[in-house]
Amino acid sequence: MNKPRPVSAKPLSVLLSDVFSDAYARQGFAARELVTRWAEIAGADIARHAEPLKMQWPRPVEGQPQEPATLVLRVEGPAALEIQHKSDVLLERVNRFFGWHAVGRLALRQAPLSRREPPARPRPPNAKAVEEVAKTLSAVEDEALKDALARLGAAIKRN
């Protein structure tokens, strides 16, 4: 009798790794980590207003060393000037990430960023609603737990 083999689910990132690698390679990115880890590489203040669009590599000349690439960034309108002033710092961070002088200059394209803003945090429940729920929790002796349950109950009732 043959035993059935255990089903092992693979993460979606593993299954689509080749697809994403090809898509990033078409845009000139040797490593997709430049896009996926952009906030870590550029810093939160720059990543909030800019994102990598593609890398343009110059044609190699036979007998000459490879010229560094141009990193094309999509930048929100008013932030372009500030990012242009910080270009030396940004180039240093990107090259430090790669471990070699991969990027020699930046090109900025002003356009809206493709990412969406994170959802806003819900506002805390009304104090009066919290008090009403707290009155029903007389069986709970721990005051910290009672307060937490009252806030949770008021938030659930609100929604």
Side-chain angles (χ1 to χ4, degrees):
M1 243 168 103
N2 289 337
K3 286 185 177 178
R5 294 189 319 185
V7 176
S8 62
K10 293 183 181 179
L12 190 57
S13 62
V14 172
L15 295 173
L16 295 176
S17 177
D18 294 336
V19 174
F20 288 135
S21 295
D22 292 343
Y24 287 122
R26 282 193 297 273
Q27 295 300 319
F29 293 111
R32 68 174 175 247
E33 284 81 17
L34 182 65
V35 176
T36 58
R37 296 177 55 193
W38 177 246
E40 295 173 39
I41 296 167
D45 55 331
I46 292 175
R48 195 174 306 117
H49 302 289
E51 63 188 9
L53 197 56
K54 63 182 172 179
M55 286 181 68
Q56 295 175 330
W57 293 90
R59 292 191 181 271
V61 177
E62 193 171 322
Q64 298 291 325
Q66 174 68 42
E67 292 288 321
T70 300
L71 177 60
V72 180
L73 296 177
R74 179 183 292 145
V75 182
E76 290 179 328
L81 185 61
E82 184 177 344
I83 290 175
Q84 185 177 6
H85 287 296
K86 293 181 177 181
S87 64
D88 291 338
V89 173
L90 185 56
L91 286 172
E92 181 183 331
R93 290 177 182 174
V94 170
N95 287 327
R96 188 179 325 131
F97 170 75
F98 281 120
W100 61 289
H101 188 64
V103 179
R105 65 182 213 94
L106 296 177
L108 305 179
R109 306 288 184 258
Q110 289 186 340
L113 299 182
S114 62
R115 60 162 167 69
R116 287 186 270 154
E117 293 296 320
R121 292 188 68 179
R123 63 188 195 290
N126 185 349
K128 187 176 181 180
V130 173
E131 287 178 28
E132 289 177 13
V133 174
K135 291 176 186 175
T136 65
L137 299 173
S138 59
V140 179
E141 295 174 3
D142 186 1
E143 286 300 318
L145 178 61
K146 187 176 184 177
D147 292 339
L149 289 172
R151 287 192 313 271
L152 176 64
I156 290 172
K157 280 187 175 182
R158 181 182 64 199
N159 293 333

